[in-house]
């Protein structure tokens, strides 16, 4: 039986559209098959904007599984998004509406300002963008990424959204997953690290497995791939402490590659190899479950595939 394609010429249709899957397929393949008349570029932009809802879950993942019989909704473009995104090599907007803005931050960019640098930050870049949308528009910090970490982060655009997220963070944020390349390979391939974190006068975080009055932190990790010298691990946070992943992986003897601050001896990609890949949350206003994903940097996979045992080994991506 031939698939019935939905005819349209643009990704900015003003009305919500509903499609039903007649077979199992990855989401991008499903959209290519169904949206006759749409260019592949427009379909990718539609998906990237967070306006595709599969079985009640909004997602930006190209390979999200679509099961036969599941309804896929294409949401109309929010008015604020019609004003365009930003042009900055350090940051992309993944999704934006009246209440939140979700971005993909590059490594090396501060989340918020410091005494020494208040403008070269994700906050400053997005705040300038939002201010162009009208008088009184600005953003609020609800969570941060370390300067040396890349990936998904979010700001609130309304006081109501800010308060809802700050007051109900543990309930509204369903998943925060990271990927890291660590030195060596943990003997226990899947485990939860729990320790107490304290900060010294030099702003370095220290981990103790004995309660010393510090903040309790918990990180679950799974080893995805390893060559013995390096391992790719997926990490999920039960808590969100400063430098949590970096200090706890170092505490168990497997620091994040490139992270000299926390005892790494190698720097194969000339960066700290830590990436915030997934943020899944309940929208603070609509209550809709939304999921945003940014692919793991390709260099992470290359490092764990190659074992540098001779001068002829290929170098990792820079």
């Amino acid at each position: 039986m031939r698939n019935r394609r939905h005819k349209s010429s643009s990704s900015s249709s003003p009305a919500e559209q509903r499609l039903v899957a007649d077979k199992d397929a990855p989401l991008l393949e499903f959209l290519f098959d169904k949206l006759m008349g749409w260019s592949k570029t427009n379909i990718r932009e539609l998906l990237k904007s967070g306006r595709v809802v599969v079985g009640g879950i909004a997602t930006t993942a190209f390979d999200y599984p679509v099961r036969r019989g599941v309804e896929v909704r294409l949401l109309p473009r929010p008015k604020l998004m019609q004003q365009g995104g930003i042009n900055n090599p350090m940051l992309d907007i993944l999704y934006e509406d009246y209440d939140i803005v979700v971005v993909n931050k590059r490594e090396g960019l501060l989340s918020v300002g410091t005494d020494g640098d208040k403008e070269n930050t994700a906050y400053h870049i997005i705040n300038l963008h939002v201010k162009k949308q009208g008088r009184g528009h600005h953003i609020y910090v609800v969570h941060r990424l370390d300067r040396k970490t890349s990936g998904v982060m979010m700001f609130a655009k309304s006081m109501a959204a800010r308060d809802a997220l700050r007051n109900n963070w543990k309930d509204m944020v369903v998943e925060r997953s990271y990927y890291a390349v660590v030195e060596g390979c943990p003997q226990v391939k899947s485990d939860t690290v729990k320790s107490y974190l304290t900060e010294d006068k030099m702003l370095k975080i220290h981990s103790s497995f004995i309660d010393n009055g510090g903040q309790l932190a918990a990180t679950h990790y799974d080893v995805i791939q390893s060559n013995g010298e390096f391992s790719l691990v997926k990490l999920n946070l039960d808590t969100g402490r400063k430098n949590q992943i970096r200090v706890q992986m170092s505490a168990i003897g497997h620091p994040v590659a490139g992270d000299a601050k926390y005892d790494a001896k190698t720097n194969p990609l000339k960066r700290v190899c830590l990436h915030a890949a997934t943020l899944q949350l309940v929208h603070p206003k609509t209550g809709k479950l939304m999921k945003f994903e940014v692919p793991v940097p390709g260099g992470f996979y290359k490092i764990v595939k190659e074992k540098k045992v001779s001068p002829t080994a290929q170098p990792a991506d820079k």
Side-chain angles (χ1 to χ4, degrees):
M1 182 186 216
R2 294 183 61 188
N3 291 332
R4 297 182 62 186
R5 292 190 173 188
H6 187 93
K7 293 186 178 182
S8 180
S9 59
S10 169
S11 64
S12 59
S13 175
E16 178 179 316
Q17 301 167 27
R18 297 171 182 258
L19 308 170
V20 177
D22 51 15
K23 63 179 181 180
D24 294 351
L27 180 53
L28 187 59
E29 179 183 320
F30 169 82
L31 294 174
F32 283 164
D33 186 50
K34 290 289 186 180
L35 298 180
M36 186 174 64
W38 291 48
S39 70
K40 290 186 176 181
T41 298
N42 281 345
I43 292 174
R44 289 190 180 97
E45 287 301 318
L46 169 75
L47 185 52
K48 185 178 178 181
S49 72
R51 293 187 288 125
V52 179
V53 181
V54 182
I57 298 178
T59 181
T60 58
F62 287 9
D63 59 351
Y64 192 89
V66 178
R67 303 303 181 194
R68 182 177 181 179
V70 168
E71 181 182 70
V72 178
R73 298 162 55 208
L74 312 181
L75 303 181
R77 184 185 295 272
K79 291 181 180 180
L80 288 182
M81 295 189 69
Q82 293 177 349
Q83 299 183 18
I86 57 175
N87 182 21
N88 192 294
M90 297 300 289
L91 186 147
D92 298 318
I93 293 179
L94 300 176
Y95 174 81
E96 182 181 3
D97 60 26
Y98 287 103
D99 298 285
I100 62 172
V101 55
V102 182
V103 304
N104 175 22
K105 184 187 82 70
R106 305 294 191 273
E107 72 278 4
L109 180 67
L110 285 165
S111 292
V112 298
T114 64
D115 291 338
D117 191 349
K118 294 188 180 298
E119 294 192 357
N120 186 32
T121 69
Y123 176 87
H124 182 74
I125 294 168
I126 295 299
N127 204 39
L128 287 179
H129 163 72
V130 170
K131 282 183 175 180
K132 294 177 182 178
Q133 297 168 358
R135 185 176 178 180
H137 288 261
H138 55 275
I139 61 172
Y140 303 90
V141 177
V142 291
H143 92 288
R144 311 178 187 191
L145 293 180
D146 295 341
R147 180 176 193 163
K148 297 179 180 181
T149 302
S150 58
V152 186
M153 66 177 297
M154 173 180 59
F155 295 96
K157 290 180 60 180
S158 67
M159 292 184 66
R162 178 201 66 183
D163 293 343
L165 288 164
R166 287 182 179 177
N167 296 335
N168 304 282
W169 183 261
K170 290 184 178 180
D171 294 325
M172 299 183 72
V173 176
V174 178
E175 179 187 1
R176 290 173 66 190
S177 66
Y178 292 71
Y179 284 82
V181 175
V182 301
E183 296 181 344
C185 183
Q187 287 188 342
V188 180
K189 299 302 186 289
S190 180
D191 199 6
T192 298
V193 182
K194 293 184 178 181
S195 65
Y196 297 87
L197 307 185
T198 55
E199 186 172 11
D200 65 23
K201 294 180 180 179
M202 301 302 292
L203 305 182
K204 183 175 180 179
I205 308 299
H206 298 271
S207 174
S208 171
F209 292 106
I210 299 173
D211 188 351
N212 60 358
Q215 292 182 312
L216 179 62
T219 303
H220 182 81
Y221 74 83
D222 293 286
V223 176
I224 304 300
Q225 187 173 345
S226 180
N227 62 12
E229 185 177 4
F230 295 105
S231 300
L232 178 67
V233 296
K234 181 179 181 181
L235 308 113
N236 288 88
L237 300 182
D238 289 341
T239 56
R241 311 303 186 192
K242 180 180 177 181
N243 294 173
Q244 175 175 323
I245 291 173
R246 296 164 61 186
V247 67
Q248 287 193 321
M249 293 310 293
S250 177
I252 64 171
H254 299 282
V256 176
D259 194 3
K261 181 176 181 178
Y262 292 107
D263 304 322
K265 302 297 189 294
T266 63
N267 192 7
L269 293 185
K270 304 300 184 285
R271 60 161 291 184
V272 172
C273 294
L274 180 61
H275 177 75
T278 303
L279 176 64
Q280 186 174 21
L281 72 148
V282 177
H283 192 282
K285 184 175 182 179
T286 67
K288 181 173 67 176
L289 186 63
M290 309 185 76
K291 187 173 185 178
F292 303 97
E293 295 181 284
V294 177
V296 179
F300 284 23
Y301 292 102
K302 189 171 183 180
I303 294 171
V304 298
K305 288 180 180 178
E306 296 176 350
K307 184 148 183 168
K308 301 172 182 60
V309 294
S310 73
T312 60
Q314 294 295 316
D317 292 340
K318 293 184 179 180

